[in-house]
Amino acid sequence: METVNNTQHEFELEDLRQQMAAIKEKVDQQGHLNEELVKEAIQSKMKGVHRTSFKLSLVALLCIPCYIAMRYTYNFSWPFIIVTILMLIGFVLADYLINRLDVSHMGDDLVVTARKLTQMKKNRSMSQKIGIAMTIPWLAWFCYESFMHRAITYGIADTWGYVITCFVGGIIGFLIGVRIFRKMQRANDEMIDQINELMSEP
């Protein structure tokens, strides 16, 4: 009778081990699945950031020949044109350096990815502050160049309306830039939050 009880007890223990193993396997699979989903979501968002960055860089580069043409069409000074071109090139280079993460490997190591995304957010914020500090005097210089040319050609009265239009256009462009900046920062926050949420799971 004791042998039968021992055998039954061993069967129960073995059945319990199998159940625990099945539960552990299911938990591991669920955790792996969640990690894969987070990885795919991060890569998708980062591709969106790269697309936005590429479009902005393309627009900046296309502006270079436009400003060179303005030198001859509107008689803008060469110092202003050269500074403007250097600013545009600097913007493109900074944007590339900030967003150059390899999408295909993002999420392979969540801790490393989170650290890189956090650094990317800080760098983008610093880049925006520097950009604003440079854009304000540049916009004033642009208005001055526009005023000097049109005042000679069309007179002071007509020139003020033109300068005000340019200034308003610059403000609108600035607001659009701020909106794009916030969109990219929000994408960074969402990626970091997804990683933190996954890593906090038991």
Side-chain angles (χ1 to χ4, degrees), residues 157-185:
D158 177 78
T159 300
W160 276 115
Y162 174 77
V163 171
I164 291 173
T165 301
C166 291
F167 183 79
V168 171
I171 296 298
I172 293 174
F174 170 77
L175 294 176
I176 293 174
V178 169
R179 182 179 179 183
I180 294 174
F181 166 80
R182 288 180 176 176
K183 178 182 178 182
M184 297 176 76
Q185 292 293 74

Side-chain angles (χ1 to χ4, degrees), residues 16-147:
L16 181 60
R17 290 193 191 97
Q18 291 178 358
Q19 290 180 19
M20 293 298 294
I23 292 173
K24 184 178 182 300
E25 182 180 0
K26 185 176 181 180
V27 170
D28 291 341
Q29 289 177 349
Q30 184 66 32
H32 181 71
L33 177 61
N34 289 342
E35 187 172 339
E36 286 298 318
L37 291 174
V38 169
K39 181 178 178 179
E40 291 178 6
I42 290 173
Q43 291 180 352
S44 177
K45 284 186 173 66
M46 197 62 212
K47 287 178 181 178
V49 170
H50 280 176
R51 283 193 296 269
T52 301
S53 175
F54 174 77
K55 292 175 183 178
L56 291 175
S57 297
L58 183 61
V59 170
L61 292 175
L62 289 176
C63 284
I64 292 177
C66 294
Y67 279 106
I68 293 176
M70 289 173 67
R71 163 68 185 92
Y72 297 101
T73 304
Y74 300 109
N75 199 32
F76 279 32
S77 67
W78 271 117
F80 173 77
I81 298 300
I82 292 172
V83 169
T84 301
I85 292 174
L86 291 176
M87 285 178 60
L88 291 170
I89 293 175
F91 165 77
V92 172
L93 289 176
D95 202 53
Y96 167 75
L97 293 174
I98 290 171
N99 301 295
R100 62 176 176 171
L101 292 184
D102 186 359
V103 175
S104 62
H105 293 293
M106 289 190 68
D108 292 346
D109 187 325
L110 294 178
V111 175
V112 173
T113 299
R115 185 170 65 248
K116 289 181 177 180
L117 289 172
T118 301
Q119 187 61 48
M120 176 188 291
K121 182 180 177 182
K122 291 180 180 178
N123 291 342
R124 190 180 293 119
S125 180
M126 179 62 67
S127 176
Q128 189 205 35
K129 292 176 181 177
I130 295 174
I132 292 174
M134 295 175 65
T135 300
I136 292 175
W138 176 88
L139 183 58
W141 194 2
F142 177 83
C143 291
Y144 171 79
E145 292 279 341
S146 301
F147 182 86

